[in-house]
């Protein structure tokens, strides 16, 4: 069973700071997704990456897929309180199309 | 804009009772997923439908769990003889593509 390790588990920063969170696995992924989840709500899909080395940008968020398609990172520039939430990565591998989720990084951005 | 709808949002029941949850996916989405999420964890896959066919089930889905999607539209997830360990958020997602795109806000189950 593939295992996605997300780090750090918790992150508490001040508004305006930059941050990077990581998603790592020993498995090769056919695709990898990043979601953001707020308390009491379902995850919201932010991005899907499929090509090794791919970089996607969504406003202040930059997503990178590792060259070997085993890892990914999410970088947030000038974080805002509205970025607060649980950031989850999920990936499918081994011929399965069902993504497995990591435990997430819980981000708090203080005003 | 109608997203994925789940009902009820909260369910409190005594151990040993049966519960049923409903998920209404986005209307044109043929793929439907059920996940379970406990505090401090990411969602864990339970089962997956493409149209009305249940194509994959997790080992987490014991024989007390059953899911249906009779007409390829809404889906139900039933848990029989509930146990304390069933307390969790049950999430439904739907998509056109191979990854769950849109999640509902879940049904939070609490077992007394």
């Amino acid at each position: 069973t593939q295992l996605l390790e997300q780090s750090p588990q918790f992150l508490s920063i001040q508004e305006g700071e930059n941050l990077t969170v990581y998603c790592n696995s020993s498995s090769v992924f056919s695709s990898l997704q990043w979601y953001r989840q707020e308390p009491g709500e379902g995850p919201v899909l932010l991005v899907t990456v499929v090509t090794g080395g791919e970089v996607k940008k969504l406003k202040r968020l930059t997503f990178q897929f590792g060259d070997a398609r085993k890892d990914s990172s999410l970088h947030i520039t000038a974080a805002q309180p509205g970025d607060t939430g649980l950031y989850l990565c999920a990936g499918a591998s081994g011929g399965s199309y069902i993504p497995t989720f990591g435990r997430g990084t819980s981000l708090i951005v203080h005003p | 804009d109608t997203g994925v709808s789940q009902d009820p949002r909260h369910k409190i029941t005594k151990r040993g009772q049966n519960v049923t949850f409903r998920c209404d996916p986005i209307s044109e989405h043929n793929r439907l997923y059920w996940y379970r999420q406990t505090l401090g964890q990411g969602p864990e896959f339970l089962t997956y439908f493409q149209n009305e066919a249940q194509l994959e089930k997790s080992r987490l889905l014991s024989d007390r769990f059953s899911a249906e999607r009779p007409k390829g539209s809404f889906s139900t997830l039933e848990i029989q003889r509930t146990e304390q360990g069933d307390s969790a958020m049950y999430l439904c997602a739907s998509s056109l593509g191979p990854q769950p795109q849109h999640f509902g806000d879940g049904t939070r189950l609490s077992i007394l």
Side-chain angles (χ1 to χ4, degrees):
Chain A
T1 302
Q2 65 202 40
L3 193 64
L4 280 85
E5 299 284 350
Q6 289 193 246
S7 61
Q9 191 173 353
F10 301 101
L11 195 53
S12 179
I13 62 171
Q14 293 297 126
E15 182 175 2
E17 292 184 23
N18 301 333
L19 66 118
T20 303
V21 298
Y22 301 92
C23 175
N24 296 288
S25 175
S26 57
S27 301
V28 176
F29 295 111
S30 54
S31 69
L32 190 141
Q33 292 77 46
W34 283 94
Y35 297 82
R36 186 167 75 96
Q37 185 177 25
E38 297 193 36
E41 299 182 7
V44 175
L45 179 64
L46 298 174
V47 76
T48 296
V49 288
V50 296
T51 305
E54 182 176 4
V55 176
K56 282 192 173 180
K57 293 193 175 184
L58 186 66
K59 297 183 181 178
R60 294 175 293 100
L61 278 61
T62 301
F63 304 86
Q64 186 158 7
F65 201 14
D67 291 341
R69 306 205 319 272
K70 292 183 177 182
D71 56 87
S72 181
S73 64
L74 160 58
H75 181 80
I76 302 179
T77 303
Q80 299 176 2
D83 296 327
T84 293
L86 179 68
Y87 288 84
L88 294 157
C89 68
S93 69
S96 172
Y97 38 73
I98 304 297
T100 299
F101 281 80
R103 293 181 63 177
T105 292
S106 180
L107 171 67
I108 298 175
V109 182
H110 300 278
Chain B
D1 178 24
T2 55
V4 177
S5 177
Q6 292 190 244
D7 183 70
R9 290 295 313 276
H10 304 274
K11 179 70 177 179
I12 301 172
T13 192
K14 292 182 180 179
R15 184 167 52 92
Q17 297 295 305
N18 300 341
V19 293
T20 300
F21 311 139
R22 177 179 171 123
C23 171
D24 286 274
I26 293 172
S27 59
E28 63 268 25
H29 285 184
N30 61 342
R31 300 175 192 238
L32 187 147
Y33 310 77
W34 284 99
Y35 282 82
R36 180 176 71 185
Q37 187 176 25
T38 53
L39 198 62
Q41 303 291 326
E44 298 173 295
F45 170 71
L46 293 178
T47 191
Y48 159 70
F49 290 85
Q50 188 162 333
N51 300 310
E52 66 275 9
Q54 189 174 19
L55 297 186
E56 195 161 332
K57 292 195 291 186
S58 163
R59 288 172 298 165
L60 291 174
L61 213 67
S62 74
D63 56 5
R64 296 184 299 105
F65 288 71
S66 62
E68 295 182 342
R69 195 183 182 196
K71 298 181 180 178
S73 56
F74 74 91
S75 176
T76 58
L77 178 68
E78 181 183 14
I79 309 174
Q80 297 182 326
R81 304 181 304 280
T82 52
E83 301 174 355
Q84 290 278 349
D86 296 332
S87 294
M89 174 77 86
Y90 289 83
L91 293 163
C92 175
S94 71
S95 69
L96 283 171
Q99 293 86 31
Q101 288 176 288
H102 298 274
F103 278 84
D105 286 337
T107 293
R108 180 165 294 284
L109 174 64
S110 298
I111 307 296
L112 301 177

